[in-house]
Amino acid sequence: MGARSRREFLVASGLAGAALVLPIAVRGGASGPEVLAPSLWLGVHPDGRIVFAGTKLEMGQGILTALAVLVAEELEVDPSAIDVRFPSTDELAGRERLLETSSSSSVTKSWRPVRLAAAGAREMLVAAAARSWGAPPAECRAESAGVTHLPSGRRLTYGALASAAARETAPKLPRLKKPPEFRRIGRPASRMEGADIVRGRIRFGCDERREGMLYAALARPPLRGARLRPCDPAPALAVPGVKHVVKVGESVAVVAETTWDALQGRAALAPAWDGGEGADFSSDGFDRLLRQGLDAPSAASYDPERKELRASSVLATGEAPPWPPVESGLVAEYATPFQAHATMEPPNAVGQVCDGRHEVWCGTQFPGEAVQEIARRFGVPRASVVVHPMQMGGGFGRREVPDY
């Protein structure tokens, strides 16, 4: 990242201003990238604040807490002292992929780079303290958000060292703790945002408010491939507060001054559709399809390369291949009905267009794809689109798709 774009990122993210900010580049090996993104950002401020611009997004899976614990372990601070925040896409200067969150891989992909960033900051803080005392760094130890000179007992806080540490040379490969040294990783930790959730202080996507904002209620086709019949907007427009009725593909939106007005307008509109597929879908029918797939004949019941095993052949013959071991004597069957990826917080977004800048506040697992889709729909440059990721009330992969 160039000096200008780096400075713009720091100013936008609130990490600039005599703060120690450490970019750690992480490159992959021959087998592919070690992590999803090339860099992570950590800020230690002169007032003692520690800000970490997380590259994974919170949707209830606990990644805020996990990231804070990783930083805290190497930086020698309490996890509650770390402010983990979500950077917007413009702060990442084209590196929106940093924020992609899916496949239950947030901790595995953050494990090394986050710890490297924190360990590097720790070593720079220790170096700054040693320089100020004229002592060897080996005589100094980072602990409890400060650095202590072991022979004399002198101590400086991270806040007091931040500006000086920012002038130290960042280590190319800082030392990471070994598992026996862990004091926080692998131990119970309170959810960072738990108390705020209970108290209603967390801001989800549907909590965003902009001046002059209107609300839209979308009526979607009930079946895949259904076509919207022509509908008269007059009944919806007659509802107090309703401002617009807008066709969106085979859906139709009612836009109003409040959510209630939009819902009432949608009810008055009473849209209808023709055609579509899947009207006969049922959990029982879906179960039958699954069973047919299990019982379908195949050339081989076991493929040693893919390590796949057909349960039907084992149950029929009583003979199991060498992998995996199958014990006989008890057969049990468990079934659950078809489950939708329905989140507690319905998919939603708040959009604002002003002076050529297209901003969206939403809970999304893939902010970069949201930027791309918004730019495509509006026919505008990607650089004019900014997505502000919000905490999500559930994701389950549903928020990977930026349709909402």
Side-chain angles (χ1 to χ4, degrees):
M1 184 178 287
R4 183 170 181 271
S5 61
R6 180 173 179 271
R7 171 175 170 75
E8 290 171 348
F9 175 91
L10 302 181
V11 170
S13 62
L15 301 182
L20 165 61
V21 181
L22 184 69
I24 294 290
V26 181
R27 293 178 175 83
S31 61
E34 189 171 33
V35 295
L36 178 65
S39 62
L40 299 168
W41 298 88
L42 177 67
V44 180
H45 292 246
D47 61 5
R49 288 183 300 124
I50 300 171
V51 181
F52 181 75
T55 60
K56 300 298 170 190
L57 303 171
E58 180 64 64
M59 63 186 88
Q61 83 279 36
I63 191 58
L64 284 180
T65 305
L67 290 174
V69 168
L70 294 180
V71 174
E73 184 67 76
E74 298 291 350
L75 195 53
E76 296 293 356
V77 299
D78 190 270
S80 63
I82 300 168
D83 178 15
V84 183
R85 58 178 299 276
F86 306 140
S88 59
T89 56
D90 62 336
E91 294 171 352
L92 294 174
R95 297 183 177 184
E96 298 92 346
R97 289 196 62 191
L98 282 165
L99 298 176
E100 292 182 359
T101 309
S102 67
S103 306
S104 300
S105 61
S106 294
V107 170
T108 55
K109 290 182 176 179
S110 303
W111 174 255
R112 183 173 172 83
V114 169
R115 291 173 58 213
L116 280 173
R122 181 194 68 225
E123 292 188 7
M124 294 170 74
L125 289 160
V126 168
R131 190 181 302 277
S132 71
W133 294 322
E139 294 182 354
C140 304
R141 183 171 66 194
E143 57 184 2
S144 302
V147 179
T148 301
H149 182 231
L150 298 177
S152 67
R154 288 176 291 180
R155 175 179 168 81
L156 287 170
T157 66
Y158 284 170
L161 290 166
S163 296
R167 295 189 289 272
E168 294 288 335
T169 301
K172 291 183 178 179
L173 189 63
R175 176 189 175 275
L176 296 178
K177 286 185 178 182
K178 304 296 183 183
E181 301 174 83
F182 291 163
R183 296 193 299 121
R184 297 175 179 86
I185 292 175
R187 298 188 180 185
S190 299
R191 288 290 291 262
M192 296 286 291
E193 76 282 24
D196 285 341
I197 289 176
V198 172
R199 297 184 177 113
R201 294 175 180 169
I202 289 289
R203 289 178 59 80
F204 296 92
C206 57
D207 294 322
E208 184 63 30
R209 298 291 183 269
R210 313 302 296 175
E211 185 177 354
M213 184 167 122
L214 296 178
Y215 299 80
L218 192 64
R220 298 178 177 85
L223 301 174
R224 181 186 296 273
R227 304 300 298 271
L228 179 67
R229 293 179 186 174
C231 57
D232 182 6
L237 293 172
V239 174
V242 172
K243 299 296 184 182
H244 311 282
V245 175
V246 183
K247 187 176 183 294
V248 184
E250 298 304 323
S251 302
V252 60
V254 176
V255 185
E257 294 177 348
T258 68
T259 301
W260 178 254
D261 294 340
L263 293 173
Q264 294 298 102
R266 184 177 66 179
L269 187 66
W273 289 264
D274 292 320
E277 58 186 45
D280 58 346
F281 177 85
S282 68
S283 291
D284 289 341
F286 187 60
D287 181 66
R288 284 194 296 272
L289 287 175
L290 293 178
R291 291 175 182 276
Q292 290 169 10
L294 285 173
D295 295 333
S298 64
S301 62
Y302 172 59
D303 181 347
E305 293 299 321
R306 297 184 62 181
K307 292 185 173 59
E308 289 184 351
L309 181 67
R310 284 195 176 276
S312 57
S313 65
V314 173
L315 294 175
T317 64
E319 298 178 0
W323 186 97
V326 177
E327 297 181 3
S328 60
L330 176 65
V331 176
E333 181 175 300
Y334 301 89
T336 60
F338 180 81
Q339 297 291 321
H341 281 195
T343 57
M344 290 290 288
E345 176 202 14
N348 64 86
V350 174
Q352 177 174 283
V353 180
C354 184
D355 297 329
R357 182 178 170 93
H358 302 71
E359 293 187 84
V360 170
W361 292 259
C362 66
T364 171
Q365 293 175 239
F366 283 14
E369 287 195 13
V371 168
Q372 180 175 324
E373 182 66 9
I374 293 165
R376 186 185 71 81
R377 292 289 184 103
F378 277 85
V380 298
R382 283 179 58 113
S384 72
V385 179
V386 179
V387 171
H388 302 274
M390 307 289 286
Q391 183 151 331
M392 292 168 268
F396 316 123
R398 171 61 183 93
R399 296 182 192 268
E400 293 181 15
V401 184
D403 51 353
Y404 54 94

